[in-house]
């Protein structure tokens, strides 16, 4: 199997698993919106969940994965099974101890952490105290998902993608069940979601045990923390704590600024971000996670031409898959919130405000996708300094624009600032990588981009025309409204896919293969 086929196959498997998880996440958000709406309690919950979620990106999906996978892959492919298992056991032991300390410190320091990121909540009596309570309850979640990330890295290097990627579905189901069954028993009811988060994190980790046993990778204590491979992982990981998770750092800044805006602003941004992350999780994260083992192996073998070709191919797939998703998010924002969320405590104003946030987030989708390919390439090349420096300047751009735009545009200005910051981050990463990896030739992407413009425009016009037949802010029968939205999405996909094949866009067949694999062969 060629590297291109391996990347496409892995992305398809990850996309299938992640698609199930994102659908579960959508159902979860619908349930949360119906039960709790957008206001005092949900603002507090989403702000509280920001802290363990940020640490999850730092220690788990971000720097740990980016540092562990290249090193573990190198040991596994060059030194063999026994040495790879020994290194993994050391990492299991070290990570368990570190995360236990992090959780204890996080619970102890919760009042100060919450006060820092939700400072604006202090103006509303009881809001900061509720946020602190929720944060303390949910902080152990970071312990479970960090160990899950290590298990995911081990299994991904060994070619197993599906079960780790589908595990977030368990978290979503746990939160849904807790919210529906126990909200009436909790005081305040929003506490039921926090208990669901903890249970979901534990179950996510436990479900990996059978697969780890199958690969003979169940953890055993090993305290040789100064092993050269482990020291290399640590050196790569420490600066990556900020570099890889820049998007989440910017999300925290955005929510901090939003805490000074009218009540509901944090919730509008959360709901906007959640739908923004739907295609991000299905395609961007899947592709980035699938390409990392290939990049790591090619870098370890010093095959720079192959490394450059894999990066270019991944960026091409990202362009084909994410460009129509960006247009689709903007056009379908209000219909989606109207159809799935407008019930119970979530009214037409919440629909409109959340849709505005999503439309402002959407232009940054492609930039986030490019960054998720470019940043790990630096790590595969053992360069951790460059992404950190770029991340620092990106953060400054986001803060500056957020302060500038939050006055006239409120929460929409904050979402737009994050999109512009994502563009800045992707451009700077690309410019520097072209200098570090001269073999990387991006010129073939320009003709492909020009070919994509016509299918995207045709798709956009068709979707806009179909959706314009309904006033989505007015309540109506769900069946015909769902039919209109389904028709718009189906026609849009058909026109875009047909246009790509008609114009023979490079990589379009691979994207089609990924979609078919997600729909019909979603297992690995």
């Amino acid at each position: 199997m060629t590297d291109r086929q391996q990347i496409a196959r892995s992305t398809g498997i990850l996309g299938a698993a992640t698609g199930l998880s994102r659908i579960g996440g959508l159902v979860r958000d619908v349930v949360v919106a119906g039960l709790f709406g957008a206001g005092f309690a949900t603002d507090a919950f989403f702000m509280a969940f920001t802290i363990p979620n940020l640490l999850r990106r730092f220690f788990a999906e971000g720097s740990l994965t980016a540092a562990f996978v290249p090193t573990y892959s190198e040991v596994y492919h060059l030194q063999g099974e026994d040495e790879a298992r020994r290194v993994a056991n050391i990492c299991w032991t070290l990570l368990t101890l570190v995360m236990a300390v992090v959780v204890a410190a996080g619970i102890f320091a919760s009042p100060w952490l919450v006060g820092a990121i939700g400072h604006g909540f202090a103006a509303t009596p009881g809001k900061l105290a509720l946020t602190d309570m929720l944060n303390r309850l949910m902080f152990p979640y970071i312990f479970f998902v960090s160990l899950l990330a290590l298990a995911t890295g081990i299994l991904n290097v060994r070619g197993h993608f599906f079960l780790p990627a589908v595990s977030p579905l368990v978290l979503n189901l746990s939160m849904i069940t807790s919210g529906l069954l126990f909200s009436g028993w909790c005081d305040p009811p929003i506490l039921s979601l926090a208990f669901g988060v903890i249970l979901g994190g534990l179950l996510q980790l436990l479900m990996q045990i059978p697969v780890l046993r199958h690969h003979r990778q169940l953890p055993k204590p090993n305290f040789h923390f100064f092993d050269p491979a482990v020291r290399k992982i640590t050196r790569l990981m420490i600066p990556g704590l900020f570099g890889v998770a820049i998007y989440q750092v910017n999300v925290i800044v955005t929510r901090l600024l939003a805490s000074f805006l009218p009540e509901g602003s944090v919730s509008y941004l959360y709901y906007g971000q959640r739908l923004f992350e739907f295609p991000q999780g299905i395609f961007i994260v899947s592709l980035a996670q699938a390409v990392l083992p290939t990049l790591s192996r090619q870098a370890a073998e010093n095959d720079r031409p192959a490394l450059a070709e894999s990066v270019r191919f991944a960026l091409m797939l990202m362009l084909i898959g994410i460009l129509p998703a960006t247009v689709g998010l903007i056009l379908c924002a209000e219909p989606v919130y109207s159809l799935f969320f407008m019930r119970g405590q979530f009214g037409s104003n919440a629909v409109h405000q959340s849709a505005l946030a999503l439309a402002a987030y959407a232009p940054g989708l492609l930039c986030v996708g490019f960054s998720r390919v470019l940043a790990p390439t630096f790590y595969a090349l053992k360069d951790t300094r460059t992404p950190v420096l770029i991340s620092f300047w990106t953060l400054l751009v986001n803060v500056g624009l957020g302060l500038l735009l939050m006055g006239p545009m409120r929460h929409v200005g904050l979402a737009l600032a994050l999109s512009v910051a994502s563009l800045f981050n992707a451009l700077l990463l690309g410019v520097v990588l072209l200098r570090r990896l001269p073999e990387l030739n991006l010129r073939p992407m320009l003709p492909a981009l020009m070919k994509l413009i016509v299918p995207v425009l045709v798709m956009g016009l068709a979707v806009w025309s179909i959706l314009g037949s309904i006033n989505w802010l007015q309540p109506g029968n769900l069946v015909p409204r769902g039919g209109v939205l389904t028709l718009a999405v189906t026609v849009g996909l058909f026109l875009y896919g047909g246009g790509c094949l008609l114009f023979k866009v490079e990589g379009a067949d691979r994207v089609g293969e990924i979609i078919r694999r997600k729909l019909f062969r979603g297992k690995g």
Side-chain angles (χ1 to χ4, degrees):
M1 183 181 293
T2 66
D3 290 329
R4 284 190 172 197
Q5 291 172 329
Q6 179 61 45
I7 292 172
R9 177 184 179 275
S10 300
T11 304
I13 293 171
L14 283 164
T18 310
L20 291 174
S21 300
R22 293 296 173 174
I23 291 170
L26 176 61
V27 175
R28 180 193 83 190
D29 290 337
V30 169
V31 171
V32 171
L35 288 174
F36 306 107
F40 182 94
T42 50
D43 279 358
F45 175 80
F46 297 142
M47 185 67 79
F49 198 35
T50 297
I51 300 174
N53 209 37
L54 173 71
L55 292 177
R56 172 176 67 88
R57 296 296 176 97
F58 276 173
F59 291 104
E61 296 176 0
S63 59
L64 175 60
T65 301
F68 176 77
V69 170
T71 305
Y72 180 77
S73 176
E74 182 177 348
V75 172
Y76 178 64
H77 288 105
L78 300 182
Q79 300 181 44
E81 172 80 28
D82 292 338
E83 183 64 14
R85 186 181 300 111
R86 189 185 68 83
V87 170
N89 284 334
I90 299 174
C91 291
W92 280 113
T93 308
L94 179 59
L95 186 63
T96 300
L97 296 176
V98 169
M99 294 318 301
V101 172
V102 168
V103 169
I107 294 174
F108 174 77
S110 179
W112 295 280
L113 291 173
V114 168
I117 71 164
H119 188 67
F121 284 179
T124 304
K127 198 169 186 177
L128 210 54
L130 177 59
T131 307
D132 175 47
M133 181 192 303
L134 291 166
N135 181 64
R136 288 173 184 266
L137 285 173
M138 290 188 287
F139 220 92
Y141 169 75
I142 181 59
F143 178 85
F144 299 124
V145 293
S146 294
L147 295 179
L148 171 67
L150 186 60
T152 298
I154 293 171
L155 295 176
N156 285 175
V157 169
R158 294 166 179 272
H160 190 101
F161 293 92
F162 184 76
L163 192 60
V166 82
S167 64
L169 178 62
V170 176
L171 172 66
N172 294 323
L173 293 176
S174 176
M175 292 179 67
I176 291 168
T177 303
S178 296
L180 290 174
L181 296 184
F182 305 120
S183 59
W185 296 80
C186 295
D187 185 23
I190 198 75
L191 293 180
S192 60
L193 292 182
F195 292 129
V197 168
I198 296 301
L199 178 60
L202 174 61
L203 293 176
Q204 282 180 279
L205 177 61
L206 293 179
M207 66 186 289
Q208 309 305 317
I209 291 178
V211 193
L212 290 170
R213 181 185 291 114
H214 173 75
H215 288 280
R216 298 171 59 207
Q217 289 294 313
L218 285 177
K220 296 180 180 179
N222 190 324
F223 295 90
H224 292 85
F225 298 148
F226 294 100
D227 181 87
V230 177
R231 292 170 66 183
K232 181 188 293 187
I233 293 171
T234 305
R235 285 197 305 269
L236 289 172
M237 183 177 174
I238 290 176
L241 290 176
F242 189 77
V244 175
I246 183 58
Y247 180 75
Q248 288 301 312
V249 173
N250 281 307
V251 167
I252 276 222
V253 171
T254 299
R255 290 185 182 171
L256 168 62
L257 296 177
S259 71
F260 293 93
L261 295 175
E263 189 165 275
S265 297
V266 172
S267 296
Y268 301 145
L269 287 169
Y270 171 82
Y271 288 121
Q273 183 195 352
R274 287 293 297 166
L275 281 192
F276 171 78
E277 289 182 346
F278 193 87
Q280 183 182 343
I282 291 178
F283 197 85
I284 292 177
V285 174
S286 300
L287 177 55
Q289 193 173 347
V291 76
L292 182 57
T294 300
L295 297 181
S296 302
R297 174 179 54 79
Q298 292 166 340
E301 296 170 353
N302 199 30
D303 191 351
R304 291 172 68 90
L307 174 65
E309 176 58 22
S310 292
V311 172
R312 190 194 68 79
F313 181 65
L315 291 175
M316 191 68 236
L317 289 183
M318 200 71 76
L319 181 65
I320 295 171
I322 298 303
L323 192 58
T326 300
V327 176
L329 283 179
I330 296 173
L331 295 175
C332 297
E334 207 164 81
V336 169
Y337 285 111
S338 173
L339 183 65
F340 294 106
F341 289 79
M342 195 164 65
R343 58 179 54 85
Q345 298 298 314
F346 203 89
S348 60
N349 182 60
V351 167
H352 181 61
Q353 299 299 332
S354 300
L356 289 176
L358 177 57
Y361 277 132
L365 186 63
L366 186 61
C367 305
V368 172
F370 281 178
S371 296
R372 289 297 297 263
V373 173
L374 296 172
T377 305
F378 283 96
Y379 286 90
L381 293 170
K382 305 299 187 293
D383 178 5
T384 59
R385 183 171 178 267
T386 299
V388 172
L389 292 176
I390 293 175
S391 297
F392 173 75
W393 290 107
T394 302
L395 180 60
L396 293 183
V397 169
N398 183 46
V399 172
L401 285 175
L403 290 171
L404 185 66
L405 298 176
M406 66 183 289
M409 302 178 67
R410 298 199 173 184
H411 68 283
V412 179
L414 295 178
L416 188 59
L418 190 57
S419 292
V420 176
S422 299
L423 172 62
F424 175 84
N425 188 67
L427 286 176
L428 214 51
L429 283 171
V431 169
V432 176
L433 184 60
L434 286 172
R435 295 178 180 176
R436 299 287 173 84
L437 189 63
E439 297 86 352
L440 179 59
N441 180 16
L442 299 181
R443 291 189 184 91
M445 292 182 64
L446 185 57
L449 176 60
M450 300 305 295
K451 291 179 181 179
L452 286 175
I453 291 177
V454 174
V456 168
L457 287 176
V458 172
M459 177 202 76
L461 286 172
V463 171
W464 177 75
S465 299
I466 296 171
L467 294 178
S469 62
I470 289 180
N471 182 354
W472 294 95
L473 293 180
Q474 295 295 325
N477 194 307
L478 292 180
V479 175
R481 293 158 74 87
V484 170
L485 181 58
T486 302
L487 176 64
V489 173
T490 303
V491 170
L493 288 174
F494 176 78
L495 291 174
Y496 177 73
C500 288
L501 295 177
L502 178 65
F503 288 104
K504 298 181 180 179
V505 178
E506 180 203 3
D509 56 335
R510 295 297 185 189
V511 174
E513 179 183 335
I514 291 169
I515 293 172
R516 289 193 299 272
R517 191 180 300 277
K518 285 194 291 182
L519 293 176
F520 303 116
R521 291 177 288 171
K523 56 186 178 181

